[in-house]
Amino acid sequence: MRAFITSAIGVTCSAALVLPNAAPAGAAPDTSAVAATEAADPAEVLGSTQSLPLSPLPDASERATDAPSGTAEANAVQGLPRRDVHPFSLVGVVWDDADVELHGVVEVRTRAVGSRHWSDWQDLETHNAEHAADPGSAERDSGTVRGSTAPLWVGNCDGVEVRVIPEAPAVDDRVTARVPLPEGLRLELVDPGRDPKQSPAADTDEGDVEAAGGEFVGLASGSGGRLATTLQASLQGAAPTSLQASGQDRVLPALSKARTEAESEAAAGVAPGSKPYIGPRPTIVTRKGWGADEKLREKGFAYTKSVKAAFIHHSATGNKYTCSQAPSVLRGIYRYHVKSTGWRDIGYNFAVDKCGNIYEGRAGGVTKAVQGAHTLGFNTNSMGIAVLGTFSTSDPTAAAVNAVAKLTAWKLGLFGANPNSRTTLVSGGGNRFKKGTKVKLNVISGHRDGFATECPGTRLYKKLGSARTSSAHLQGR
């Protein structure tokens, strides 16, 4: 698999993220081309998705600079000319058959709400098939799953343009016919909706993002930003509760190592001191805390027997979000995974932002072995943690790496796994290991260890050694 295309990825639209799902001022969107736009109550915007079909571009020969002008290959370029649309903050491209790969380049440019300026072209990561449910699973065979690019976070925009240029392989120094693009290409524009119990103006606050020696300060370190203030307020005056009861709150509070071990032992019905290698439970923003619309996902849950390993990912959505925007980014990914890609829920079990905040991902219980759709072939007896951002050429923050260590020390400890050791998983099928292959892996592995991919990005992957050491230390090993 080739490397992630990340050189141009960035946030180009306004940081003011949330507006009601209405036409931009002074614009007249072509709603006839919006095949699926969900209505939302302006009083409480929960989010929406615009799905726009792509078609051959009339000036494709000019756009496809790597193909001879006027050739049939150039005319195969598909896209969408510049268009005014309802406000959105996350963009991706999907197609009908999840088993077909898109061989080519997908580029988008956007216009911020209230602006006449268009961004530069930005690439979407097309090699996204490795983030999916395992072959043969009920989720994969549901009939609703589509092929998709990774989504890109662009901020609050109301204008978009896209082009999809098929790959033209070179054979014996000759450019051959372009590889056909998948059928049913559609542009998905996601509005993540407002943060829970928060006015639209609150999203513009940058107070919770402070540069400090290359690290970011947020909820995890107690800064005074609005996200931190709002979420921490739900903890004030509240006595510690059980894991099950606190799952209904917006934030699952941190516990000491001793308290974490005692609760785990009590839940398992074993003698005190019999489970000594569980890291202290970190603060976790629950699905309710980041505003997950529970009506989107399937009602039921899927579980596996254990959590023997953690696969670390990057979301490939870009790095220039603020920490107060992270819940919106997560809601955008969630909606894209369910409504656009056709999965039962968000694919990752947990997410971590650049400030070190930890978020509950796929529903089913943070202490349980919930089966995700994150590492094709290895979703059984594992969990997936997505660090929000793109780390092929950019370093993750120390806060994010520390959060991975804290989360794995706790969750892997619940299942008796040593973060600094290795374990054996059975492949469910993929491009690196055939179905049924027993594979020895690090208990904390990068996505690329189970699948031939650049994920979680070279820069994040290099940090996994220190994360393993820190995680094991937190467990008391």
Side-chain angles (χ1 to χ4, degrees), residues 267-286:
V270 297
S274 58
K275 299 182 72 174
Y277 297 117
I278 304 175
R281 187 180 76 197
T283 301
I284 300 173
V285 180
T286 65

Side-chain angles (χ1 to χ4, degrees), residues 233-364:
S234 68
L235 300 180
Q236 294 177 357
T241 58
S242 69
L243 295 178
Q244 291 77 11
S246 61
Q248 301 301 314
D249 298 333
R250 299 184 67 202
V251 173
L252 192 63
L255 294 179
S256 67
K257 189 175 190 303
R259 180 65 181 270
T260 302
E261 291 171 356
E263 286 205 357
S264 178
E265 289 160 354
V270 297
S274 58
K275 299 182 72 174
Y277 297 117
I278 304 175
R281 187 180 76 197
T283 301
I284 300 173
V285 180
T286 65
R287 289 172 64 90
K288 184 176 181 181
W290 56 263
D293 181 357
E294 301 298 354
K295 296 188 295 294
L296 293 181
R297 64 171 176 84
E298 289 188 8
K299 292 182 179 179
F301 310 111
Y303 299 99
T304 60
K305 292 181 180 180
S306 183
V307 179
K308 300 171 63 177
F311 286 98
I312 311 304
H313 306 257
H314 66 178
S315 61
T317 46
N319 299 322
K320 294 185 180 179
Y321 65 92
T322 67
C323 291
S324 62
Q325 293 169 356
S328 293
V329 176
L330 201 55
R331 290 196 304 277
I333 295 172
Y334 169 44
R335 175 170 281 273
Y336 184 74
H337 281 181
V338 176
K339 302 296 291 185
S340 301
T341 309
W343 298 352
R344 63 181 301 143
D345 195 347
I346 190 170
Y348 309 113
N349 297 103
F350 294 93
V352 170
D353 70 22
K354 64 176 66 174
C355 289
N357 302 312
I358 298 170
Y359 303 85
E360 176 186 10
R362 180 163 287 209

Side-chain angles (χ1 to χ4, degrees), residues 419-464:
N420 222 6
S421 65
R422 293 169 67 82
T423 190
T424 299
L425 297 178
V426 178
S427 173
N431 69 353
R432 187 166 184 175
F433 301 103
K434 293 181 180 180
K435 185 175 182 178
T437 304
K438 293 182 179 180
V439 183
K440 198 81 168 179
L441 294 162
N442 287 316
V443 168
I444 297 179
S445 284
H447 186 180
R448 62 176 63 179
D449 295 322
F451 198 97
T453 173
E454 287 297 312
C455 185
T458 300
R459 298 292 184 90
L460 177 55
Y461 188 75
K462 289 181 178 179
K463 300 291 185 180
L464 296 189

